[in-house]
Amino acid sequence: MKQIHKTSLLVCLTIFVMFSAVGVVFYWPTIVSMLSSTTETVAEQTGVDPFSYDPPLPSYVKDLHPKYTIKAELNPSEAKITGSMTVQLDNPKTDQIHFYVYDYLWNKMTVKSIRYQEKSLPFERGTSLIKLANPMGDVERAEFQLEFEHPVPRRGTRYGVKDDIWTLTTWYPMLGAQNQQGEWYDPPLRITFGDPFVYHYADYDVSFISPKGYKWVSSFGQGTSVELDASRQETHYQGQKLLNFALVGSPLFHIETITFEPGLMVDIASVDKGNVERIKSIAESVFPTYTEWFGPLPYQHVAIAETSTGTTYAMEYANMAIFKRDMHQRNLIDHWLPHEVAHMWWYNSIATLESKHGWIDEGLVEISVFHYLQGRYGEQSANTLLGEYERDLQKLRAKYPDGSLSKTLHEFAKEEEFHWTWYSKGALLFNNLRRQIGDDDYKNFLKRVQQNYHGSVIGAEHLDQALGQALQGEASYFVPNRTLDNRAAFQPVKIELYVTTILNGMSYYPPIPARLSGETVYIPLRDVGEQLGVNIDWSEEEKMIRVRANSREVLIQEKDHVATVDGEKLDLGKPLLEMKKRAMVPLSFFEQALGFDVQYNPEQKTVKISKPSPNRRADASLKTDG
């Protein structure tokens, strides 16, 4: 390096140090504040962390990570969709692969071909199910090509066209769904009420050709359109983790888009500009309300579509709330539009096996309408709705006393039993929980469900797990209430609160947490004991658990409350318990039987266990010598 370069470098370093020193002096209060806040944050991380204990329960549907690439064209004059599609999926590792065809018995979809690696595959077509031999062998992931043709009914059905409004819901073949054991679900038959379909979350890349001038809303925005020729346009859509992909369109539509924090775009479509404004006024109240209660919707684009008069009442599809124009009469829209919007969280973001557990999403969306009315109109309006639910429950108990929430869709005697059970009783079950635990914990519970299970298909046990996490314990509420017959009152929440364990001054989170059962603190013996250096094994001779620590040997039988400590009997007051295949011992076991120093703070739900102090060891030695 030349001398002039060295001199220049020295000058630059000197200037840098001087300005750095000035900067430190000038910003010192801010730096101190940052350091203090960092220290405080670390100090605050000593409380119980229930979310680290239990990973989310598995979805009812095994994820094969499907991705659809669909190219389809609507021919309005023939009322027909013609399409080709590629489905990529993980190898299900079963002898067969299943596809679902959710059409009407009187309006069949035709699957023309299924191909794999350029070879045409034979398949068997049932009512709603296509079966074919699995050709994937040891390949981990592959794709299938399907060609299909689906007539569009010229009537106001869930899938159909009326008054030039095209409601295209279950319009393409869908990959079947497996349970976690790898068994394929059989799609339940459609009945006059409800859509008992089983869906599989997937990513979508859709190119849809329609006549020029048609305006569409979909399960993932309005897409991007290009003109193909003088009469046709092609619209391209992409969406991730969608339960299905639906389109509603018309050359007559007026579409307005409104945006909500944090960046949710809502497309509103109607043939009547005045109706768009009415819908908009509801949307501007309902979306912020539901975001407050459930957390942000984990999608960027959703849609509200108004169909013609005399069409299907109201329905939910992925990111879509669809209702008929008749609902403006008697202001029915002020109930059923908030109902369908709530399905964007409860059915769409999180799904159920609709024919078995539909009470979860229908109950949640009905009590969501209560929250909407409460926020927009006040307590009196909201409580009027609760009164309707209560009257429905009384009728349910009188007419169908032996029924329960566990009834499947196909087991209800009449539509009234279905409605009173899933909608009204389901709503009251959730509201009963809200009243027991309070609004704040209830909101935390609902947000926890969304955070844990977005993109999953859930049941009552998933709800109980999320409830326990919100309350920082192990909860039981939905599982027992699901099977209670209608004549019985709801059971209250049962909760075993988690207890933070601090071992030798350090927080420790065992896989099965310590907890308060009744008035007794229970500790997982092996998890905590081994952290403290305790030796634990099984004595085949005595058929007992043998524990050694602090120069003591302790023998105790499972589920017993009397331990043998160095040959002497010791009553612990409470028996050992077994939870999730782990022995749980009362806190007295570590103190009285093993001689550890133990402190329990009932207000903070914290237990401290540490090695015995020298004085305690000396006392124990004297007792032994004596």
Side-chain angles (χ1 to χ4, degrees), residues 289-296 342 345-346 364 368 371 443 446-448 450:
T289 297
Y290 292 170
T291 299
E292 176 191 350
W293 283 88
F294 316 141
W345 279 265
W346 311 111
L364 272 165
S368 300
H371 300 316
K443 289 177 183 178
L446 295 177
K447 291 173 182 176
R448 176 54 51 183
Q450 286 290 328

Side-chain angles (χ1 to χ4, degrees), residues 60-269:
Y60 281 145
V61 170
K62 182 180 178 181
D63 193 356
L64 298 177
H65 303 99
K67 179 180 179 180
Y68 293 84
T69 302
I70 307 175
K71 187 164 186 175
E73 181 168 2
L74 170 67
N75 185 326
S77 61
E78 297 183 19
K80 181 173 63 178
I81 296 174
T82 303
S84 61
M85 57 187 281
T86 296
V87 185
Q88 297 178 15
L89 65 145
D90 297 343
N91 193 338
K93 299 181 180 177
T94 52
D95 293 338
Q96 292 183 330
I97 291 178
H98 289 186
F99 287 91
Y100 299 153
V101 181
Y102 292 135
D103 54 10
Y104 296 109
L105 295 176
W106 44 267
N107 188 82
K108 304 296 290 182
M109 182 193 305
T110 300
V111 177
K112 296 181 175 181
S113 68
I114 302 177
R115 299 179 67 83
Y116 175 76
Q117 295 182 347
E118 304 304 323
K119 294 181 181 179
S120 182
L121 302 177
F123 59 89
E124 175 188 343
R125 167 71 193 265
T127 302
S128 300
L129 181 62
I130 290 176
K131 299 179 181 179
L132 62 149
N134 184 356
M136 295 174 70
D138 295 331
V139 174
E140 289 299 318
R141 185 169 175 83
E143 64 180 37
F144 293 79
Q145 296 84 37
L146 292 83
E147 292 187 3
F148 65 95
E149 190 174 89
H150 199 174
V152 182
R154 296 183 184 273
R155 59 180 74 180
T157 46
R158 288 179 178 244
Y159 167 72
V161 57
K162 187 174 186 293
D163 298 331
D164 221 1
I165 299 175
W166 298 78
T167 306
L168 308 181
T169 50
T170 50
W171 56 277
Y172 57 94
M174 299 182 184
L175 177 65
Q178 293 179 298
N179 62 22
Q180 292 295 338
Q181 289 71 48
E183 301 163 331
W184 294 96
Y185 288 106
D186 287 328
L189 293 177
R190 188 196 300 257
I191 57 176
T192 55
F193 49 91
D195 271 350
F197 302 149
V198 183
Y199 293 112
H200 196 313
Y201 283 93
D203 296 342
Y204 284 84
D205 188 312
V206 179
S207 296
F208 193 79
I209 300 171
S210 62
K212 192 175 176 182
Y214 274 55
K215 301 181 185 72
W216 296 92
V217 293
S218 81
S219 293
F220 209 81
Q222 296 182 60
T224 55
S225 296
V226 296
E227 293 183 10
L228 294 181
D229 50 42
S231 61
R232 298 183 307 155
Q233 64 187 16
E234 183 175 55
T235 309
H236 182 228
Y237 308 90
Q238 285 184 307
Q240 289 74 48
K241 200 177 280 190
L242 300 178
L243 197 58
N244 47 62
F245 190 85
L247 293 153
V248 181
S250 173
L252 310 174
F253 265 168
H254 301 280
I255 300 176
E256 183 172 345
T257 301
I258 55 178
T259 302
F260 297 96
E261 295 294 337
L264 173 67
M265 288 176 278
V266 181
D267 297 326
I268 300 172

